[in-house]
């Protein structure tokens, strides 16, 4: 697990997650607008718009929204692994520093 994701900055991960969050909200809203247009067209006495086109557009934005959620999940995973890696490295450095300050103990003396 060491050296995992060391080339990705925490600032870049945070910015990407924030941007993805905004896109997720936006794609959901657009899918909702297409659904609204579909419902308006469906309710009209004469078709105002092509319901098939509206339905396909709505489905397309729903798919984009789902894919963005997958990417957000992947970024969260990368961020978590980055945090875990940093904590492990810190703990290892502390253990190494503690080992250097202690007198070496022979195996026979430890028992």
């Amino acid at each position: 697990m060491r050296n995992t994701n060391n080339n990705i900055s925490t600032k870049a991960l945070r910015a990407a997650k924030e941007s993805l969050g905004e896109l997720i909200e936006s794609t959901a809203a657009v899918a909702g607008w297409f659904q609204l247009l579909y419902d308006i067209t469906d309710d009209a006495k004469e078709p105002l718009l092509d319901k098939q086109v509206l339905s396909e557009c709505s489905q397309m934005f729903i798919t984009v929204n789902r894919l963005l959620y997958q990417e957000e999940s992947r970024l969260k995973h990368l961020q978590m692994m980055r945090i875990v890696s940093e904590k492990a490295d810190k703990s290892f450095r502390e253990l190494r520093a503690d080992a250097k300050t202690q007198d070496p103990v022979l195996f026979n003396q430890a028992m």
Side-chain angles (χ1 to χ4, degrees):
M1 185 164 69
R2 294 183 52 99
N3 299 325
T4 303
N5 308 316
N6 285 338
N7 57 343
I8 302 171
S9 75
T10 304
K11 187 176 181 180
L13 280 171
R14 191 174 311 120
K17 278 178 49 181
E18 288 174 9
S19 296
L20 271 177
E22 291 175 17
L23 276 172
I24 287 168
E25 289 179 24
S26 298
T27 55
V30 172
W33 294 332
F34 277 112
Q35 182 61 48
L36 174 62
L37 284 173
Y38 182 91
D39 291 344
I40 290 170
T41 299
D42 194 40
D43 193 48
K45 292 178 182 177
E46 292 183 31
L48 302 170
L49 301 166
D50 185 342
K51 292 189 324 185
Q52 182 66 32
V53 169
L54 296 174
S55 177
E56 288 176 9
C57 288
S58 178
Q59 289 302 313
M60 187 170 45
F61 277 96
I62 289 170
T63 300
V64 169
N65 185 267
R66 181 181 48 79
L67 292 171
L68 291 174
Y69 266 111
Q70 287 177 343
E71 286 302 298
E72 181 185 50
S73 177
R74 193 177 67 78
L75 283 178
K76 286 180 179 181
H77 168 74
L78 287 174
Q79 190 173 34
M80 178 57 69
M81 291 299 101
R82 171 92 185 212
I83 291 167
V84 167
S85 179
E86 288 172 357
K87 286 182 179 180
D89 287 343
K90 180 182 176 190
S91 295
F92 182 73
R93 286 191 305 272
E94 290 171 357
L95 287 172
R96 182 181 276 172
D98 287 347
K100 287 181 180 180
T101 59
Q102 295 177 358
D103 291 330
V105 176
L106 294 175
F107 181 73
N108 293 344
Q109 293 173 338
M111 292 178 40

